[in-house]
Amino acid sequence: MCGIVGYVGSQEATPIILDGLGRLEYRGYDSAGVAVLQQANIEVRRDVGKLINLRHRVYQQPIHGSIGIGHTRWATHGVPAEHNAHPHVSMNGDFVVVHNGIVENYQELREELTAEGVTFTSETDTEVIVQLVERLAANGVHDLTEAARQTVKHLRGAHAIVLMSRHQPDRLVAIRIGNAGGVAIGVGEQENYVASDMPAILEYTRRMVFLETRQIATITADGITLQTLDGAPVEAVIHNIPYDPVSAVKGEYKHFMQKEIYEQPRSITDTIRGRIDFEHQTVHIPELNLTAERAQSLTRMVTVACGTSYYSGLVGKFFIEHMARLNVEVDYGSEYRYRDPILDANTAVLAITQSGETVDTLAALEEAREKKSLIWSIVNAIGSQAMRVADGYITMNAGPEIGVASTKAFTTSIVDQYLLALYLGQLRGTLKPDVLHRYTQDIARLPNLVGQTLELENHIEELARLFYKASNFLYLGRGINYPIALEGALKLKEISYIHAEGYPAGEMKHGPIALIDEQMPVLAIALKDSVYDKMISQIEQSKARGGKVIAVATEGDEFTSRVTWPKA
Ligand code: F6R
């Protein structure tokens, strides 16, 4: 996962930044960098691999200055390269940036800037940000805060950005748009800090200001000025954070589950990052150790998993069958080994497991090994058993999942399967380049869309207040939304202790509809897709029996909002 640290004050910035990056090591990364203003110049040191490599480089070529920014980057495709590591400096060396998020429209911006004569030194999306800032400066926008504000108007997606300029050596500018991870500003005495994650700077101060979405902060040693992106002033509210390791990591959230729900845009970004080459529209998953020949020899895939990971596998089946034209069966790890499954060398067995240590899932892999099948795993815990025993693996890059109920591992493992489907489609020749292009563009939009969905929290809380006394709940969906309904029902059971069933909506008429009355709320996933009309008809049938229906609908779908209850 990517991490950001920045400092402005009177101390040496480099050791503070390196120390902060070290405190983010638990998130995992494979390259890191630091930029410090040394006299009037931006000096950058970057390196791939462990932070010790960067420390070593800084030791050999020290940089001195009292303002700077640093970054740890997760880049999983190929060898992570030094020139792709952050911070990124603008062409004339006047501005420098670190960034978490995906610039969804970076290709257009890059082409535009290249046509104007800008030379890029990395393949990253991030570099367009700093080149845009420099273009604005060349056009007379000399104030860094103003240049940052105008720059982000050009960017699509969710972002956490910190900028530094050699023309205004007293300040850092931080921006948050959407939910590409948070921005915490640490308040000190004649010095201030900024970080993507509080633990990076908690050693230095426990007084924190958190940026909300679409806010911009100008951070100097003397103070912090907050504004909205529209320029309206915002009062900086300082939170005093108690120092214990748990609340340090939990940050501003009530509990880990809430934190992990909110981490999804960032985790999804980290899962996509580096695996899609947006410039050439290709997918790279070298950890899968798969040749085109082997991919073409496969006749079948079996996904084995438990609980939430099993439901994730049911979602992934839709992608893999559709894009890679490979037949997929999905089975519970806990059932698989008890029924002498038919497996052969042309079958790939995929285990999905957040922990990588679920015994039933591991046992299914053993069965696959004995029967000479190809073994793959999708795991979150690096170095876990499921990762070690597999012939190839894909990591979720979700960061530690501490909450007992799985959240971000569900969505990131679905993203992994989407990438797997694209990759297999590419290797098996089942995806035309223009279709692959469309799918890669779609997935790049996902982190931002998830962030927008999280903004519905207050509305969802109102609904929860209306229904919290229910004893039973039905979750209905069709097609790919059926496993989503299953996962929703599982979450309600384990977190709210309300009995809930996920059901394929089309099967309701074959019996279970008899259960629906005013005591049985129904959550219907009724998106504007190919089964929309059928879902609407299902909602109407449920209502005819007195059921109260909450619809998960496509934004702007007035019709669904009219037929459901209560009004959204
Ligand atoms: C539900 C949940 C569990 C896990 C299951 C598998 O919220 O967390 O159902 O998904 O125990 O765990 P992993 O993915 O670690 O194999």
Side-chain angles (χ1 to χ4, degrees), residues 86 150 331 523 527:
H86 300 213
Q150 292 193 27
D331 225 312
L523 184 135
L527 305 183

Side-chain angles (χ1 to χ4, degrees), residues 474 503 507-516 520:
L474 262 176
Y503 221 78
E507 285 295 301
M508 288 300 288
K509 58 181 173 295
H510 299 292
I513 199 154
L515 286 172
I516 296 182
M520 177 68 86

Side-chain angles (χ1 to χ4, degrees), residues 14 25 27 36 57 62 96 106 123 125 130 139 159 234 290 308 363 379 431 448 487 492 551 556 563:
T14 313
E25 264 184 315
R27 287 185 166 280
V36 167
R57 183 162 291 211
V96 62
Y106 94 98
E123 284 104 47
D125 53 337
V130 76
N139 291 330
H159 311 280
V234 176
L290 189 63
T308 292
V379 292
L431 278 179
N448 194 28
E487 169 60 8
L492 198 71
V563 296

Side-chain angles (χ1 to χ4, degrees), residues 306-309 353-355 358 404-406 490-491 494:
C306 296
T308 292
S309 295
T353 165
Q354 188 283 128
S355 60
T358 297
V404 175
S406 192
L490 172 60
K491 285 286 138 2
E494 65 176 330

Side-chain angles (χ1 to χ4, degrees), residues 134-386:
E134 190 163 270
R135 179 172 78 177
L136 281 161
N139 291 330
V141 185
H142 297 299
D143 179 60
L144 185 61
T145 308
E146 185 50 34
R149 189 205 321 280
Q150 292 193 27
T151 294
V152 297
K153 283 189 189 150
H154 295 278
L155 309 181
R156 283 209 305 267
H159 311 280
I161 299 168
V162 183
L163 283 156
M164 186 168 79
S165 158
R166 74 188 190 92
H167 298 298
Q168 283 176 306
D170 64 335
R171 67 197 53 200
L172 299 174
V173 171
I175 306 166
R176 175 176 174 187
I177 299 177
N179 277 302
V183 176
I185 303 166
V187 184
E189 296 294 331
Q190 293 300 304
E191 57 185 358
N192 287 308
Y193 306 79
V194 60
S196 54
D197 304 77
M198 229 177 17
I201 51 177
L202 208 59
E203 179 69 20
Y204 303 101
T205 176
R206 296 174 202 176
R207 301 169 70 223
M208 297 285 163
V209 174
F210 299 106
L211 275 197
E212 299 294 334
T213 182
R214 303 188 62 75
Q215 286 184 352
I216 181 162
T218 310
I219 309 163
T220 63
D222 305 328
I224 299 156
T225 315
L226 295 194
Q227 293 168 21
T228 64
L229 280 187
D230 306 321
V234 176
E235 194 195 337
V237 181
I238 299 177
H239 299 258
N240 288 302
I241 309 295
Y243 189 78
D244 71 85
V246 174
S247 43
V249 178
K250 190 150 55 74
E252 73 230 74
Y253 298 101
K254 281 184 241 158
H255 40 69
F256 278 105
M257 187 174 170
Q258 189 194 32
K259 175 173 189 272
E260 287 159 9
I261 288 169
Y262 273 88
E263 273 175 355
Q264 287 177 101
R266 183 168 168 192
S267 313
I268 293 171
T269 305
D270 288 338
T271 301
I272 299 169
R273 186 187 295 285
R275 286 167 173 158
I276 298 179
D277 176 344
F278 287 101
E279 203 170 336
H280 302 101
Q281 299 304 327
T282 47
V283 178
H284 303 267
I285 313 181
E287 316 88 284
L288 215 50
N289 295 320
L290 189 63
T291 60
E293 204 181 17
R294 187 71 176 108
Q296 284 157 20
S297 75
L298 295 173
T299 52
R300 184 169 153 252
M301 197 179 120
V302 176
T303 302
V304 284
C306 296
T308 292
S309 295
Y310 169 77
Y311 297 144
S312 160
L314 291 177
V315 175
K317 172 181 164 79
F318 282 80
F319 304 142
I320 293 159
E321 289 190 339
H322 178 67
M323 300 183 201
R325 307 311 296 153
L326 188 61
N327 181 22
V328 182
E329 289 162 34
V330 188
D331 225 312
Y332 283 114
S334 51
E335 294 290 330
Y336 199 64
R337 60 180 151 148
Y338 297 111
R339 60 175 181 76
D340 192 17
I342 300 167
L343 286 170
D344 58 26
N346 291 332
T347 303
V349 175
L350 168 71
I352 303 175
T353 165
Q354 188 283 128
S355 60
E357 302 291 350
T358 297
V359 173
D360 288 323
T361 306
L362 292 173
L365 286 187
E366 249 171 61
E367 183 83 28
R369 173 71 72 211
E370 271 166 32
K371 295 191 167 153
K372 312 267 181 290
S373 296
L374 187 61
I375 300 182
W376 294 333
S377 60
I378 288 181
V379 292
N380 193 34
I382 310 284
S384 57
Q385 178 85 353

